[in-house]
């Protein structure tokens, strides 16, 4: 049944060649989001993985912006809270921020300084891992807050870009891998 569920999710990921620049094959999850049965299957798969892997999780931290689409329904299913990790300048109050390198430039991420307490167990969620810069930056922010990062979890991993290597010793899981 797991393979059938994975296929249902994979069938809703659409490739776009040469976006956002020539030579890049973009993996678009828009069809997955439009299909309620496929999206429910995605959340089922992520929930099953987390329940089997971790007896206690305090928060799902979702990355701006597609992690915001996956993280809240997953957190709701697990009965835990959701913490946004946003692009700089989008969060009120005291924040922690970090600059990092993207595939196509530089960016900054922020988290509210009181988003998690030291020792709380967090899973970081996003739609895709490419070069790993954004996920690595999110890990750095949560480590500054002294959270225990249980895992970095994504729907899609672009294996040739070796982004998971940037996560050092932080556990990583992807549902779908593309070469």
């Amino acid at each position: 049944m797991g393979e059938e569920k994975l296929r249902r999710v994979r069938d809703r990921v659409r490739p776009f060649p040469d976006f956002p620049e020539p030579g890049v094959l973009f993996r678009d999850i828009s069809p997955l989001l439009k299909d309620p049965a496929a999206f429910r299957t995605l959340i089922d798969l992520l929930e099953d993985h987390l329940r089997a892997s971790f007896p206690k999780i305090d928060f799902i931290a979702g990355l701006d912006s597609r992690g915001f689409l996956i993280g809240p329904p997953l957190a709701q299913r697990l009965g835990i809270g959701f913490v946004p990790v946003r692009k700089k300048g989008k969060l009120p109050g005291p924040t922690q921020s970090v600059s990092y390198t993207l595939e196509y430039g530089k960016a900054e991420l922020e988290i509210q300084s009181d988003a998690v307490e030291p020792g709380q167990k967090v899973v970081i969620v996003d739609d895709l891992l490419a070069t790993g810069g954004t996920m690595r930056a999110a890990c750095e922010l949560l480590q500054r807050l002294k959270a225990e990062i249980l895992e970095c979890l994504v729907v899609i991993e672009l294996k040739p870009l070796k982004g998971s290597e940037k996560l050092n010793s932080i556990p990583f899981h992807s549902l779908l891998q593309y070469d």
Side-chain angles (χ1 to χ4, degrees):
M1 187 62 171
E3 285 303 314
E4 182 183 323
K5 285 183 174 185
L6 274 175
R7 186 181 46 75
R8 188 176 306 143
V9 171
R10 185 183 296 275
D11 287 350
R12 295 297 183 272
V13 175
R14 166 174 64 178
F16 272 105
D18 299 320
F19 181 83
E21 60 185 42
V24 174
L25 180 61
F26 187 85
R27 301 290 177 168
D28 180 26
I29 65 166
S30 296
L32 177 61
L33 299 172
K34 281 178 22 179
D35 181 336
F39 186 70
R40 186 172 28 259
T41 299
L42 169 66
I43 301 302
D44 289 346
L45 287 165
L46 296 173
E47 177 188 9
D48 291 349
H49 165 72
L50 290 178
R51 286 192 187 280
S53 301
F54 305 105
K56 182 180 185 335
I57 304 169
D58 294 306
F59 292 105
I60 297 292
L63 303 188
D64 199 345
S65 69
R66 289 185 216 82
F68 292 2
L69 303 173
I70 299 160
L74 181 58
Q76 193 72 39
R77 289 268 193 96
L78 295 169
I80 60 176
F82 174 79
V83 173
V85 178
R86 303 240 22 214
K87 294 174 180 133
K88 186 161 177 68
K90 302 290 184 183
L91 291 171
T95 60
Q96 294 281 324
S97 67
V98 64
S99 296
Y100 64 100
T101 303
L102 287 166
E103 302 89 302
Y104 319 112
K106 289 188 179 244
E108 279 187 83
L109 281 182
E110 282 185 326
I111 191 168
Q112 289 175 316
S113 298
D114 63 353
V116 300
E117 298 295 321
Q120 286 187 309
K121 298 173 184 322
V122 178
V123 172
I124 305 172
V125 176
D126 204 4
D127 68 321
L128 181 132
L129 184 78
T131 62
T134 305
M135 188 65 78
R136 178 69 230 146
C139 290
E140 185 177 327
L141 286 174
L142 284 154
Q143 288 168 332
R144 282 189 200 167
L145 298 181
K146 298 183 175 25
E148 180 184 339
I149 302 169
L150 299 175
E151 184 173 78
C152 296
L153 177 62
V154 299
V155 178
I156 298 168
E157 178 185 8
L158 304 178
K159 298 283 279 181
L161 298 178
K162 300 180 180 180
S164 63
E165 291 176 9
K166 281 194 180 164
L167 303 179
N168 302 329
S169 62
I170 296 171
F172 172 75
H173 182 76
S174 57
L175 281 184
L176 305 173
Q177 301 80 34
Y178 291 93
D179 290 321

PDB file of all heavy atoms in Angstrom, residues 14-36:
ATOM      1  N   ARG A  14       4.805  17.814 -11.088  1.00  0.00           N
ATOM      2  CA  ARG A  14       4.939  18.138 -12.505  1.00  0.00           C
ATOM      3  C   ARG A  14       6.312  18.775 -12.766  1.00  0.00           C
ATOM      4  O   ARG A  14       6.691  19.710 -12.071  1.00  0.00           O
ATOM      5  CB  ARG A  14       3.794  19.092 -12.843  1.00  0.00           C
ATOM      6  CG  ARG A  14       3.869  19.817 -14.118  1.00  0.00           C
ATOM      7  CD  ARG A  14       2.608  20.607 -14.379  1.00  0.00           C
ATOM      8  NE  ARG A  14       2.400  21.665 -13.387  1.00  0.00           N
ATOM      9  CZ  ARG A  14       1.387  22.513 -13.414  1.00  0.00           C
ATOM     10  NH1 ARG A  14       0.469  22.433 -14.342  1.00  0.00           N
ATOM     11  NH2 ARG A  14       1.273  23.449 -12.498  1.00  0.00           N
ATOM     12  N   PRO A  15       7.027  18.269 -13.779  1.00  0.00           N
ATOM     13  CA  PRO A  15       8.329  18.868 -14.120  1.00  0.00           C
ATOM     14  C   PRO A  15       8.160  20.080 -15.057  1.00  0.00           C
ATOM     15  O   PRO A  15       7.316  20.062 -15.959  1.00  0.00           O
ATOM     16  CB  PRO A  15       9.066  17.741 -14.831  1.00  0.00           C
ATOM     17  CG  PRO A  15       7.976  16.922 -15.453  1.00  0.00           C
ATOM     18  CD  PRO A  15       6.777  17.039 -14.550  1.00  0.00           C
ATOM     19  N   PHE A  16       8.945  21.126 -14.808  1.00  0.00           N
ATOM     20  CA  PHE A  16       9.008  22.289 -15.688  1.00  0.00           C
ATOM     21  C   PHE A  16      10.465  22.517 -16.075  1.00  0.00           C
ATOM     22  O   PHE A  16      11.247  23.000 -15.255  1.00  0.00           O
ATOM     23  CB  PHE A  16       8.481  23.546 -14.995  1.00  0.00           C
ATOM     24  CG  PHE A  16       7.011  23.756 -15.129  1.00  0.00           C
ATOM     25  CD1 PHE A  16       6.172  23.512 -14.060  1.00  0.00           C
ATOM     26  CD2 PHE A  16       6.456  24.201 -16.323  1.00  0.00           C
ATOM     27  CE1 PHE A  16       4.809  23.697 -14.168  1.00  0.00           C
ATOM     28  CE2 PHE A  16       5.094  24.391 -16.453  1.00  0.00           C
ATOM     29  CZ  PHE A  16       4.269  24.134 -15.374  1.00  0.00           C
ATOM     30  N   PRO A  17      10.850  22.175 -17.323  1.00  0.00           N
ATOM     31  CA  PRO A  17      12.239  22.409 -17.742  1.00  0.00           C
ATOM     32  C   PRO A  17      12.530  23.908 -17.872  1.00  0.00           C
ATOM     33  O   PRO A  17      11.649  24.698 -18.184  1.00  0.00           O
ATOM     34  CB  PRO A  17      12.336  21.723 -19.106  1.00  0.00           C
ATOM     35  CG  PRO A  17      11.013  21.106 -19.379  1.00  0.00           C
ATOM     36  CD  PRO A  17      10.049  21.511 -18.321  1.00  0.00           C
ATOM     37  N   ASP A  18      13.789  24.245 -17.586  1.00  0.00           N
ATOM     38  CA  ASP A  18      14.301  25.608 -17.766  1.00  0.00           C
ATOM     39  C   ASP A  18      13.569  26.648 -16.926  1.00  0.00           C
ATOM     40  O   ASP A  18      13.359  27.779 -17.367  1.00  0.00           O
ATOM     41  CB  ASP A  18      14.300  25.993 -19.253  1.00  0.00           C
ATOM     42  CG  ASP A  18      15.189  25.071 -20.073  1.00  0.00           C
ATOM     43  OD1 ASP A  18      16.287  24.723 -19.570  1.00  0.00           O
ATOM     44  OD2 ASP A  18      14.787  24.681 -21.180  1.00  0.00           O
ATOM     45  N   PHE A  19      13.186  26.276 -15.727  1.00  0.00           N
ATOM     46  CA  PHE A  19      12.596  27.246 -14.798  1.00  0.00           C
ATOM     47  C   PHE A  19      13.268  27.082 -13.446  1.00  0.00           C
ATOM     48  O   PHE A  19      13.431  25.952 -12.972  1.00  0.00           O
ATOM     49  CB  PHE A  19      11.089  27.020 -14.637  1.00  0.00           C
ATOM     50  CG  PHE A  19      10.454  28.017 -13.708  1.00  0.00           C
ATOM     51  CD1 PHE A  19      10.078  29.268 -14.170  1.00  0.00           C
ATOM     52  CD2 PHE A  19      10.271  27.724 -12.365  1.00  0.00           C
ATOM     53  CE1 PHE A  19       9.519  30.192 -13.310  1.00  0.00           C
ATOM     54  CE2 PHE A  19       9.718  28.654 -11.498  1.00  0.00           C
ATOM     55  CZ  PHE A  19       9.342  29.885 -11.975  1.00  0.00           C
ATOM     56  N   PRO A  20      13.686  28.131 -12.799  1.00  0.00           N
ATOM     57  CA  PRO A  20      13.544  29.546 -13.135  1.00  0.00           C
ATOM     58  C   PRO A  20      14.619  30.081 -14.076  1.00  0.00           C
ATOM     59  O   PRO A  20      14.612  31.251 -14.416  1.00  0.00           O
ATOM     60  CB  PRO A  20      13.643  30.238 -11.776  1.00  0.00           C
ATOM     61  CG  PRO A  20      14.543  29.352 -10.982  1.00  0.00           C
ATOM     62  CD  PRO A  20      14.243  27.947 -11.458  1.00  0.00           C
ATOM     63  N   GLU A  21      15.510  29.190 -14.494  1.00  0.00           N
ATOM     64  CA  GLU A  21      16.542  29.609 -15.457  1.00  0.00           C
ATOM     65  C   GLU A  21      16.909  28.404 -16.324  1.00  0.00           C
ATOM     66  O   GLU A  21      16.623  27.254 -15.968  1.00  0.00           O
ATOM     67  CB  GLU A  21      17.770  30.183 -14.745  1.00  0.00           C
ATOM     68  CG  GLU A  21      18.455  29.236 -13.798  1.00  0.00           C
ATOM     69  CD  GLU A  21      19.588  29.880 -13.035  1.00  0.00           C
ATOM     70  OE1 GLU A  21      19.442  31.027 -12.570  1.00  0.00           O
ATOM     71  OE2 GLU A  21      20.623  29.220 -12.891  1.00  0.00           O
ATOM     72  N   PRO A  22      17.527  28.652 -17.467  1.00  0.00           N
ATOM     73  CA  PRO A  22      17.890  27.545 -18.369  1.00  0.00           C
ATOM     74  C   PRO A  22      18.739  26.487 -17.669  1.00  0.00           C
ATOM     75  O   PRO A  22      19.606  26.802 -16.863  1.00  0.00           O
ATOM     76  CB  PRO A  22      18.682  28.234 -19.483  1.00  0.00           C
ATOM     77  CG  PRO A  22      18.186  29.649 -19.476  1.00  0.00           C
ATOM     78  CD  PRO A  22      17.880  29.962 -18.027  1.00  0.00           C
ATOM     79  N   GLY A  23      18.421  25.231 -17.969  1.00  0.00           N
ATOM     80  CA  GLY A  23      19.174  24.115 -17.402  1.00  0.00           C
ATOM     81  C   GLY A  23      18.611  23.562 -16.111  1.00  0.00           C
ATOM     82  O   GLY A  23      19.030  22.518 -15.640  1.00  0.00           O
ATOM     83  N   VAL A  24      17.634  24.260 -15.497  1.00  0.00           N
ATOM     84  CA  VAL A  24      17.040  23.806 -14.245  1.00  0.00           C
ATOM     85  C   VAL A  24      15.726  23.094 -14.557  1.00  0.00           C
ATOM     86  O   VAL A  24      14.905  23.593 -15.316  1.00  0.00           O
ATOM     87  CB  VAL A  24      16.779  24.999 -13.293  1.00  0.00           C
ATOM     88  CG1 VAL A  24      16.023  24.547 -12.053  1.00  0.00           C
ATOM     89  CG2 VAL A  24      18.091  25.666 -12.906  1.00  0.00           C
ATOM     90  N   LEU A  25      15.543  21.905 -13.975  1.00  0.00           N
ATOM     91  CA  LEU A  25      14.281  21.186 -14.088  1.00  0.00           C
ATOM     92  C   LEU A  25      13.533  21.368 -12.772  1.00  0.00           C
ATOM     93  O   LEU A  25      13.879  20.784 -11.752  1.00  0.00           O
ATOM     94  CB  LEU A  25      14.510  19.698 -14.373  1.00  0.00           C
ATOM     95  CG  LEU A  25      13.247  18.848 -14.506  1.00  0.00           C
ATOM     96  CD1 LEU A  25      12.372  19.336 -15.666  1.00  0.00           C
ATOM     97  CD2 LEU A  25      13.620  17.389 -14.714  1.00  0.00           C
ATOM     98  N   PHE A  26      12.512  22.216 -12.796  1.00  0.00           N
ATOM     99  CA  PHE A  26      11.739  22.565 -11.606  1.00  0.00           C
ATOM    100  C   PHE A  26      10.696  21.488 -11.337  1.00  0.00           C
ATOM    101  O   PHE A  26      10.014  21.037 -12.250  1.00  0.00           O
ATOM    102  CB  PHE A  26      11.051  23.918 -11.832  1.00  0.00           C
ATOM    103  CG  PHE A  26      10.366  24.461 -10.614  1.00  0.00           C
ATOM    104  CD1 PHE A  26      11.077  25.184  -9.675  1.00  0.00           C
ATOM    105  CD2 PHE A  26       9.010  24.267 -10.416  1.00  0.00           C
ATOM    106  CE1 PHE A  26      10.438  25.709  -8.549  1.00  0.00           C
ATOM    107  CE2 PHE A  26       8.368  24.774  -9.301  1.00  0.00           C
ATOM    108  CZ  PHE A  26       9.081  25.497  -8.369  1.00  0.00           C
ATOM    109  N   ARG A  27      10.569  21.057 -10.086  1.00  0.00           N
ATOM    110  CA  ARG A  27       9.556  20.079  -9.683  1.00  0.00           C
ATOM    111  C   ARG A  27       8.426  20.838  -8.989  1.00  0.00           C
ATOM    112  O   ARG A  27       8.595  21.347  -7.886  1.00  0.00           O
ATOM    113  CB  ARG A  27      10.150  19.036  -8.741  1.00  0.00           C
ATOM    114  CG  ARG A  27      11.314  18.266  -9.323  1.00  0.00           C
ATOM    115  CD  ARG A  27      10.865  17.330 -10.424  1.00  0.00           C
ATOM    116  NE  ARG A  27      12.028  16.651 -10.999  1.00  0.00           N
ATOM    117  CZ  ARG A  27      11.943  15.632 -11.804  1.00  0.00           C
ATOM    118  NH1 ARG A  27      10.767  15.158 -12.173  1.00  0.00           N
ATOM    119  NH2 ARG A  27      13.034  15.076 -12.287  1.00  0.00           N
ATOM    120  N   ASP A  28       7.272  20.902  -9.634  1.00  0.00           N
ATOM    121  CA  ASP A  28       6.136  21.702  -9.193  1.00  0.00           C
ATOM    122  C   ASP A  28       5.128  20.842  -8.438  1.00  0.00           C
ATOM    123  O   ASP A  28       4.638  19.847  -8.974  1.00  0.00           O
ATOM    124  CB  ASP A  28       5.479  22.329 -10.426  1.00  0.00           C
ATOM    125  CG  ASP A  28       4.285  23.188 -10.105  1.00  0.00           C
ATOM    126  OD1 ASP A  28       4.205  23.723  -8.979  1.00  0.00           O
ATOM    127  OD2 ASP A  28       3.416  23.339 -10.994  1.00  0.00           O
ATOM    128  N   ILE A  29       4.793  21.252  -7.204  1.00  0.00           N
ATOM    129  CA  ILE A  29       3.818  20.515  -6.412  1.00  0.00           C
ATOM    130  C   ILE A  29       2.406  21.092  -6.535  1.00  0.00           C
ATOM    131  O   ILE A  29       1.489  20.612  -5.862  1.00  0.00           O
ATOM    132  CB  ILE A  29       4.226  20.410  -4.930  1.00  0.00           C
ATOM    133  CG1 ILE A  29       4.236  21.785  -4.265  1.00  0.00           C
ATOM    134  CG2 ILE A  29       5.556  19.693  -4.774  1.00  0.00           C
ATOM    135  CD1 ILE A  29       4.290  21.729  -2.742  1.00  0.00           C
ATOM    136  N   SER A  30       2.198  22.072  -7.386  1.00  0.00           N
ATOM    137  CA  SER A  30       0.862  22.669  -7.530  1.00  0.00           C
ATOM    138  C   SER A  30      -0.218  21.637  -7.849  1.00  0.00           C
ATOM    139  O   SER A  30      -1.302  21.684  -7.246  1.00  0.00           O
ATOM    140  CB  SER A  30       0.869  23.774  -8.591  1.00  0.00           C
ATOM    141  OG  SER A  30       1.708  24.828  -8.181  1.00  0.00           O
ATOM    142  N   PRO A  31       0.016  20.691  -8.776  1.00  0.00           N
ATOM    143  CA  PRO A  31      -1.021  19.678  -9.023  1.00  0.00           C
ATOM    144  C   PRO A  31      -1.327  18.827  -7.785  1.00  0.00           C
ATOM    145  O   PRO A  31      -2.463  18.412  -7.581  1.00  0.00           O
ATOM    146  CB  PRO A  31      -0.430  18.822 -10.146  1.00  0.00           C
ATOM    147  CG  PRO A  31       0.551  19.707 -10.821  1.00  0.00           C
ATOM    148  CD  PRO A  31       1.125  20.568  -9.720  1.00  0.00           C
ATOM    149  N   LEU A  32      -0.328  18.597  -6.951  1.00  0.00           N
ATOM    150  CA  LEU A  32      -0.515  17.844  -5.716  1.00  0.00           C
ATOM    151  C   LEU A  32      -1.410  18.623  -4.757  1.00  0.00           C
ATOM    152  O   LEU A  32      -2.302  18.064  -4.113  1.00  0.00           O
ATOM    153  CB  LEU A  32       0.858  17.569  -5.085  1.00  0.00           C
ATOM    154  CG  LEU A  32       0.912  16.857  -3.752  1.00  0.00           C
ATOM    155  CD1 LEU A  32       0.296  15.473  -3.838  1.00  0.00           C
ATOM    156  CD2 LEU A  32       2.348  16.757  -3.279  1.00  0.00           C
ATOM    157  N   LEU A  33      -1.200  19.916  -4.667  1.00  0.00           N
ATOM    158  CA  LEU A  33      -2.000  20.756  -3.783  1.00  0.00           C
ATOM    159  C   LEU A  33      -3.438  20.887  -4.275  1.00  0.00           C
ATOM    160  O   LEU A  33      -4.356  21.032  -3.470  1.00  0.00           O
ATOM    161  CB  LEU A  33      -1.368  22.144  -3.660  1.00  0.00           C
ATOM    162  CG  LEU A  33       0.039  22.175  -3.068  1.00  0.00           C
ATOM    163  CD1 LEU A  33       0.626  23.571  -3.182  1.00  0.00           C
ATOM    164  CD2 LEU A  33       0.035  21.700  -1.625  1.00  0.00           C
ATOM    165  N   LYS A  34      -3.634  20.838  -5.585  1.00  0.00           N
ATOM    166  CA  LYS A  34      -4.972  20.969  -6.177  1.00  0.00           C
ATOM    167  C   LYS A  34      -5.817  19.714  -6.015  1.00  0.00           C
ATOM    168  O   LYS A  34      -7.045  19.781  -6.092  1.00  0.00           O
ATOM    169  CB  LYS A  34      -4.874  21.270  -7.681  1.00  0.00           C
ATOM    170  CG  LYS A  34      -4.558  22.688  -7.992  1.00  0.00           C
ATOM    171  CD  LYS A  34      -4.413  22.997  -9.468  1.00  0.00           C
ATOM    172  CE  LYS A  34      -5.044  22.095 -10.445  1.00  0.00           C
ATOM    173  NZ  LYS A  34      -4.863  22.498 -11.838  1.00  0.00           N
ATOM    174  N   ASP A  35      -5.196  18.583  -5.815  1.00  0.00           N
ATOM    175  CA  ASP A  35      -5.888  17.300  -5.742  1.00  0.00           C
ATOM    176  C   ASP A  35      -6.057  16.912  -4.271  1.00  0.00           C
ATOM    177  O   ASP A  35      -5.102  16.467  -3.629  1.00  0.00           O
ATOM    178  CB  ASP A  35      -5.062  16.250  -6.495  1.00  0.00           C
ATOM    179  CG  ASP A  35      -5.686  14.878  -6.501  1.00  0.00           C
ATOM    180  OD1 ASP A  35      -6.493  14.555  -5.596  1.00  0.00           O
ATOM    181  OD2 ASP A  35      -5.344  14.105  -7.415  1.00  0.00           O
ATOM    182  N   PRO A  36      -7.273  17.063  -3.710  1.00  0.00           N
ATOM    183  CA  PRO A  36      -7.438  16.812  -2.273  1.00  0.00           C
ATOM    184  C   PRO A  36      -7.090  15.389  -1.853  1.00  0.00           C
ATOM    185  O   PRO A  36      -6.537  15.185  -0.771  1.00  0.00           O
ATOM    186  CB  PRO A  36      -8.906  17.134  -1.995  1.00  0.00           C
ATOM    187  CG  PRO A  36      -9.559  17.346  -3.295  1.00  0.00           C
ATOM    188  CD  PRO A  36      -8.507  17.494  -4.353  1.00  0.00           C
TER     189      PRO A  36
END
